[in-house]
Amino acid sequence: MCDYLKIDISETVAVGDAPNDIEILKTAGVAAVMGNASDDIKKLADFVTADNDHDGIVKVIEKYF
């Protein structure tokens, strides 16, 4: 998608909370991790946001977009 849109990967934000998100969190320019994630996933974060029940994704959008 980045190649198609001509966006450098360093200009992307990935949001995750689980082991299946590890690769994208390591690849994106910014790794935003949900507050309900395990401590192992939180270690990958550039930013830890609120949990799923407290508008965590909204906080990521407000901060980076």
Side-chain angles (χ1 to χ4, degrees), residues 2-5 7-9 13-14 19-20 24 26 29-30 34 38-41 46 52 60-61 64:
C2 287
D3 288 341
Y4 179 77
L5 295 173
I7 298 170
D8 192 85
I9 194 78
V13 177
N20 65 312
I24 194 65
K26 287 182 175 181
V30 174
M34 302 299 292
S38 69
D39 288 339
D40 288 341
I41 304 300
D46 295 305
N52 294 343
V60 173
I61 292 168
Y64 293 101

Side-chain angles (χ1 to χ4, degrees), residues 3-63:
D3 288 341
Y4 179 77
L5 295 173
K6 296 179 179 31
I7 298 170
D8 192 85
I9 194 78
S10 67
E11 297 181 39
T12 62
V13 177
V15 182
D17 65 355
N20 65 312
D21 300 317
I22 291 172
E23 184 175 350
I24 194 65
L25 291 169
K26 287 182 175 181
T27 303
V30 174
V33 174
M34 302 299 292
N36 55 287
S38 69
D39 288 339
D40 288 341
I41 304 300
K42 287 180 181 174
K43 289 177 186 176
L44 302 172
D46 295 305
F47 174 68
V48 177
T49 189
D51 65 27
N52 294 343
D53 295 325
H54 295 95
D55 298 328
I57 193 69
V58 172
K59 291 174 183 3
V60 173
I61 292 168
E62 290 173 344
K63 182 171 178 72

